[in-house]
Amino acid sequence: YQEISLENQEKTKSFFDKKISAPDGKIACLDFRFKKYTEGSGEPSLSVLAWPTNGQPGVVTIIENSPDEDTWIRALVTLRNINTDWSLVFRATGPSKGSLTVGVDDITVTEGKCAKA
């Protein structure tokens, strides 16, 4: 579980040290819970990056916001064309005015595409 509060356009990145092996079928499912709650104005951001050993990362931006700072939301992200070991990175930016509380928890990666929840 990781949680952080960001003020007025502050930025953060969370890297997970363990490299994830490329799946045999080049497709993986990333399953996690997040909370993203904003007090203030402006659009905060939360992105998930699949960062390969070589090459450019694949980026998925999480649009949905939590209704309050205690509500967790489940995300299922199908990652495609993974042909090398990769790292998981979460990146967040606070709103233009105010604060952002963001957290991630219960992260799992499995081979194959995500099943609908």
Side-chain angles (χ1 to χ4, degrees), residues 62-96:
I62 306 298
I63 303 296
E64 190 170 358
N65 291 307
S66 301
D68 57 60
E69 61 184 309
D70 296 319
T71 300
W72 291 86
I73 300 169
R74 184 175 181 202
L76 295 168
V77 179
T78 298
L79 305 168
R80 301 181 187 281
N81 301 319
I82 303 171
N83 55 13
T84 185
D85 292 354
W86 56 287
S87 296
L88 183 59
V89 179
F90 287 88
R91 181 171 60 194
T93 302
S96 55

Side-chain angles (χ1 to χ4, degrees), residues 9 24 27 29 32 46 54-55 58 64 67 72 74-76 81 88 91-92 102 104 106 113 116-117:
Q9 296 184 329
D24 290 335
I27 297 174
C29 176
F32 65 98
L46 172 62
N54 299 309
E64 190 170 358
W72 291 86
R74 184 175 181 202
L76 295 168
N81 301 319
L88 183 59
R91 181 171 60 194
V102 65
V104 293
D106 298 333
K113 74 179 198 172
K116 292 186 180 184

Side-chain angles (χ1 to χ4, degrees), residues 29-33 74-76 88 105-110:
C29 176
L30 172 62
D31 183 349
F32 65 98
R33 292 184 320 133
R74 184 175 181 202
L76 295 168
L88 183 59
D105 199 7
D106 298 333
I107 302 165
T108 59
V109 177
T110 54

